[in-house]
Amino acid sequence: NAGVTQTPKFQVLKTGQSMTLQCAQDMNHEYMSWYRQDPGMGLRLIHYSVGAGITDQGEVPNGYNVSRSTTEDFPLRLLSAAPSQTSVYFCASTPVAGGRNEQFFGPGTRLTVL
Amino acid sequence: EDKVVQSPLSLVVHEGDTVTLNCSYEVTNFRSLLWYKQEKKAPTFLFMLTSSGIEKKSGRLSSILDKKELSSILNITATQTGDSAIYLCAVEAWTNAGKSTFGDGTTLTVKP
């Protein structure tokens, strides 16, 4: 199993550009989430999904869109990048089955918006 | 809105010391509290505590959930330099399945 994979690892954007951060998991986990982590801070939830076709907003959803057409994939779209979106982005998945709800994290994408 | 507060924000100790990290929370319809360790990469899972499982231990690490005080502690005994990391606490509610709320973390530095 590859676990949770994210691409790209690094990205530099100019203000106003759009892009999609890719996330995939091969563990058949039901739940998936996107977080951002700024220096000195914990993880803040952007969007999450409890299954294919179902998404919901987290704490900091503005400026981001998500969709979940399959169990495996959960892409995050930045609509019009702003310097305030400079951060490290983590995707995570959660098994749920068997009462487990620990999250498995991808390696992260470091995004810089100029 | 769910809330998690961790203390201290940072801590510097020497190898062999014992440390206690704190996590307090406010959450409606509490389901679980989770501890993660984050080195220079993605967080990795340490423990999950629930109303039916309030103590966990793995080697030199242990954690306890205090349901009355709405808090948890993470203890690390005989610290090693490899314990240097950010320790994150998160909570989940039954009514918001799949949605975790994280604290800002405690940065632990263990000096040789």
Side-chain angles (χ1 to χ4, degrees), chain B residues 7-61:
Chain B
S7 63
L9 290 180
S10 64
L11 191 56
V12 179
V13 300
H14 288 93
E15 274 191 317
D17 289 347
T18 293
V19 299
T20 298
L21 311 182
N22 301 285
C23 175
S24 63
Y25 60 90
E26 295 175 20
V27 59
T28 302
N29 209 5
F30 173 84
R31 178 186 182 189
S32 60
L33 183 145
L34 300 98
W35 285 98
Y36 294 85
K37 178 182 182 182
Q38 184 178 24
E39 296 172 87
K40 292 185 189 297
K41 46 190 176 177
T44 54
F45 171 73
L46 292 174
F47 298 120
M48 184 175 84
L49 303 164
T50 67
S51 296
S52 58
I54 62 171
E55 287 192 54
K56 292 287 173 70
K57 182 176 171 63
S58 176
R60 297 178 294 103
L61 277 66

Side-chain angles (χ1 to χ4, degrees), chain A residues 31-33 35 37 40-45 48 50 57-59 90 94 96 99-103 105-108, chain B residues 1 9 31-32 34 36 38 41-45 48 50 86 88 90 92 96-105:
Chain A
Y31 294 177
M32 295 185 75
S33 302
Y35 295 91
Q37 187 174 35
M41 298 184 71
L43 301 171
R44 290 188 289 169
L45 183 65
Y48 66 106
V50 298
Q57 295 181 354
E59 303 169 61
F90 290 104
T94 306
V96 183
R100 299 171 59 191
N101 61 325
E102 74 268 27
Q103 299 197 56
F105 287 87
Chain B
E1 183 145 339
L9 290 180
R31 178 186 182 189
S32 60
L34 300 98
Y36 294 85
Q38 184 178 24
K41 46 190 176 177
T44 54
F45 171 73
M48 184 175 84
T50 67
I86 300 172
L88 295 164
E92 286 204 352
N96 281 319
K99 182 180 180 182
S100 290
T101 300
F102 281 80
D104 285 341

Side-chain angles (χ1 to χ4, degrees), chain A residues 23-39:
Chain A
C23 175
Q25 53 96 4
D26 61 358
M27 298 174 282
N28 203 32
H29 288 174
E30 295 179 51
Y31 294 177
M32 295 185 75
S33 302
W34 274 103
Y35 295 91
R36 59 178 287 174
Q37 187 174 35
D38 301 315

